[in-house]
Amino acid sequence: MTRRAVIIDLVRTPFGRARPDGALAPMHPVDLYAHVLAALVARNGIDPSLIEDVITGCVLQVGEQAANIGRQAVLAAGLPESVPAVSLDRKCGSAQQAVDFAAQGVIAGAHDLVIAGGVEMMSRVPMKANRLDRDNLGPRFAARYPDGLVGQGISAELIAAHWNLSRDDLDAYALRSHQRAAAAEDNNSTSRDIAPVDVAGNTVDRDEGLRRNSTLEKLGGLPPAFESERMQARFPGINWSVTAGNSSQVTDGAGAVLIAEESTALRLGLTPRAAVTHFAVVGDDPLMMLTGPIPATHKLLARAGLAPDAIDAFEVNEAFASVVLAWQKELGVDPERVNVHGGAIALGHPVGASGIRLLGNLLRVLEETNGRYGLQTMCESGGMANATLIERL
């Protein structure tokens, strides 16, 4: 019998700004993730003892997020001690990779009911906190790349220069992200995924990063975020177009998705929303770093035997506006099918959890438009990318 992995439901927290006064900053990351695990189980009425694994994305596994945060959250959520968990790090694609591993395990027969999720509290555990001021590359890596690699902001600038994307292009795309996210919130689409969080007696039920009053004039007034004389000398073609306004926001958040083998879902009285059907992961140029979604998308479409025009909705993570716009140029995709409900520029990017938010947006767009196929792809630090194909049921 052919086994099929199906998505039953998806829950995430609102996303909060990762700063001391951010909406979620008082929360412990274990509690934040436990909140969505408990909400996912409760609203689907499943016996939690049937959950065979909880696969968790988390990038900064240090401090409050150390020592397999997935297992801590399972126990904090009150799930049975028999429910195991594992935590993984594929950088920004961590939660998407958790979904892929969960679905692949179902298809392979390793489990019948599994949760995939992710969490990142960037206000508590800042980027690079896990490096402890140590050399995390080593001499052989340095020998292969003697000039050194660069930060993601410089990679975003290199992409903008290579694909002839102007500052106006990037800012216009950023404004679109806020406008699309605001429309989705106003239409009560976003709220379907969100489990409100009680933080010190206050209910947080909306994404904090959305800027409804953003304008092209305001975005145009922001200075370049990564300008450097040393990088200008190394890369004279850079035009310094990447700003805080056309980049993703540093964010706190968590999310989880319930995945089942189709016959198990039907036996338990659960209604599948979509099937997870195809997967791809690639490595790409680590200097350009963020171009991986292009070959990942090509690889996935070839594996599925589909042309880009067959895909009804795309989610391409808005790590930077230049990443999505370069991908659009290469794929020739209609922009109206891309990030229909906005993206990380407006909603934020809790790196270990963002894949769940993208999947939620993708599912809702397919359901709201009666679309069939949705494709999600995510650029990742180190020059990697994931791509996942779902089919609405």
Side-chain angles (χ1 to χ4, degrees):
M1 181 184 73
T2 301
R3 293 173 60 90
R4 186 153 71 160
V6 296
I7 296 169
I8 304 302
D9 198 10
L10 180 148
V11 175
R12 70 172 176 92
T13 67
F15 286 177
R17 293 176 181 170
R19 59 191 192 190
D21 62 346
L24 301 178
M27 294 283 291
H28 192 288
V30 170
D31 288 352
L32 192 69
Y33 189 39
H35 174 72
V36 294
L37 294 180
L40 186 64
V41 169
R43 83 179 200 177
N44 288 281
I46 60 171
D47 177 354
S49 68
L50 298 176
I51 300 166
E52 295 176 276
D53 207 355
V54 176
I55 305 173
T56 300
C58 184
V59 176
L60 279 301
Q61 296 184 36
V62 66
E64 293 100 320
Q65 297 182 163
N68 192 3
I69 189 172
R71 176 62 173 170
Q72 279 85 273
V74 162
L75 298 176
L79 302 186
E81 294 175 348
S82 60
V83 177
V86 64
S87 299
L88 63 88
D89 171 16
R90 200 190 284 277
K91 304 307 172 191
C92 298
S94 294
Q96 182 173 348
Q97 186 64 68
V99 170
D100 289 359
F101 281 162
Q104 289 160 5
V106 167
I107 292 167
H111 37 238
D112 292 322
L113 191 68
V114 61
I115 290 176
V119 59
E120 207 78 43
M121 286 287 294
M122 301 177 79
S123 60
R124 291 250 185 164
V125 187
M127 296 299 293
K128 303 184 181 180
N130 56 346
R131 299 184 189 182
L132 302 174
D133 296 323
R134 306 286 181 88
D135 173 15
N136 67 304
L137 301 177
R140 292 183 62 167
F141 186 100
R144 180 170 184 177
Y145 300 100
D147 295 329
L149 300 182
V150 298
Q152 292 192 22
I154 300 300
S155 293
E157 289 282 10
L158 292 172
I159 291 169
H162 181 82
W163 274 273
N164 297 313
L165 301 169
S166 69
R167 169 68 182 270
D168 288 346
D169 292 333
L170 305 188
D171 287 348
Y173 183 85
L175 180 62
R176 172 194 186 271
S177 183
H178 287 283
Q179 292 172 336
R180 292 295 180 97
E185 187 175 83
D186 292 344
N187 292 334
N188 296 316
S189 176
T190 310
S191 62
R192 177 174 181 182
D193 294 347
I194 291 178
V197 181
D198 181 271
V199 184
N202 297 314
T203 299
V204 181
D205 59 3
R206 293 191 174 195
D207 298 310
E208 190 181 18
L210 178 56
R211 300 187 186 96
R212 292 175 174 272
N213 62 351
S214 186
T215 64
L216 287 177
E217 291 72 24
K218 290 179 179 178
L219 289 166
L222 296 173
F226 304 100
E227 190 168 5
S228 158
E229 290 184 6
R230 184 170 66 87
M231 288 294 127
Q232 185 72 74
R234 182 176 174 184
F235 305 109
I238 287 180
N239 297 314
W240 304 115
S241 301
V242 178
T243 72
N246 55 48
S247 307
S248 58
Q249 301 180 43
V250 181
T251 311
D252 296 333
V257 58
L258 182 63
I259 296 174
E261 194 280 318
E262 188 170 26
S263 65
T264 297
L266 298 177
R267 176 171 54 82
L268 295 174
L270 302 171
T271 302
R273 296 173 64 183
V276 189
T277 63
H278 293 80
F279 320 87
V281 62
V282 302
D284 202 25
D285 178 359
L287 184 67
M288 295 291 277
M289 194 186 312
L290 309 174
T291 52
I294 296 168
T297 301
H298 284 303
K299 183 176 181 178
L300 183 70
L301 291 173
R303 184 165 284 168
L306 296 172
D309 286 348
I311 307 302
D312 299 290
F314 295 90
E315 283 289 324
V316 184
N317 190 42
E318 294 174 359
F320 300 89
S322 60
V323 171
V324 184
L325 293 175
W327 177 91
Q328 285 181 185
K329 279 195 170 187
E330 287 295 313
L331 271 295
V333 168
D334 178 2
E336 292 303 308
R337 289 185 284 144
V338 180
N339 298 356
V340 174
H341 288 330
I345 290 172
L347 300 172
H349 182 22
V351 287
S354 280
I356 303 301
R357 198 273 305 159
L358 267 73
L359 181 59
N361 278 23
L362 191 61
L363 279 167
R364 287 185 284 104
V365 170
L366 292 178
E367 290 166 347
E368 291 160 5
T369 62
N370 292 318
R372 180 179 180 184
Y373 291 117
L375 188 152
Q376 171 182 339
T377 186
M378 179 92 69
C379 61
E380 299 155 1
S381 177
M384 302 181 292
N386 274 47
T388 307
L389 185 71
I390 66 171
E391 182 178 0
R392 184 180 66 86
L393 299 176

